[in-house]
């Protein structure tokens, strides 16, 4: 299996789901499908951080220039169109 980043795993999950999902839902699919091996006690926090660093409209000191995701008002995430 190829080594992917958390962000790549999130993209794969959201593309397959074809609908917005919460960080908890995304994390569960990543774990269920073995898309990424987490070395932490709180994988959901890592997933949320990876998404929000790359999310449109969320500016953190560690945000990336490339925005791949969008956070919706209900707290779910989707791929940026």
């Amino acid at each position: 299996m190829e080594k992917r980043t958390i962000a790549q795993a999130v993209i794969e999950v959201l593309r397959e789901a074809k609908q917005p999902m919460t960080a908890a839902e995304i994390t569960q699919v990543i774990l269920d499908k073995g898309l990424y091996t987490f070395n932490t006690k709180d994988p959901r926090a890592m997933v949320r951080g990876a998404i929000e660093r790359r999310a449109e409209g969320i500016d953190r000191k560690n945000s990336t220039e490339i925005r791949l995701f969008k956070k919706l008002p209900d707290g779910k995430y989707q791929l940026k169109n």
Side-chain angles (χ1 to χ4, degrees):
M1 177 171 44
E2 72 182 68
K3 184 86 169 140
R4 58 173 72 80
T5 66
I6 295 172
Q8 289 169 329
V10 171
I11 290 168
E12 191 173 321
V13 168
L14 288 174
R15 276 192 182 140
E16 193 172 298
K18 295 184 174 87
Q19 67 181 15
M21 298 173 74
T22 65
E25 292 167 336
I26 294 167
T27 304
Q28 193 58 55
V29 173
I30 291 171
L31 291 169
D32 290 348
K33 293 189 171 200
L35 299 178
Y36 186 86
T37 302
F38 295 94
N39 190 15
T40 180
K41 291 182 188 278
D42 191 1
R44 184 176 57 187
M46 285 188 73
V47 168
R48 181 179 292 116
I51 294 169
E52 292 194 352
R53 276 194 301 281
R54 296 163 181 85
E56 192 175 70
I58 298 176
D59 291 311
R60 297 164 40 150
K61 63 183 175 201
N62 62 349
S63 290
T64 64
E65 295 240 347
I66 299 169
R67 303 306 175 118
L68 304 171
F69 309 106
K70 184 175 183 180
K71 186 172 184 178
L72 303 176
D74 64 1
K76 292 183 178 180
Y77 301 97
Q78 69 180 23
L79 291 171
K80 187 178 147 198
N81 298 352

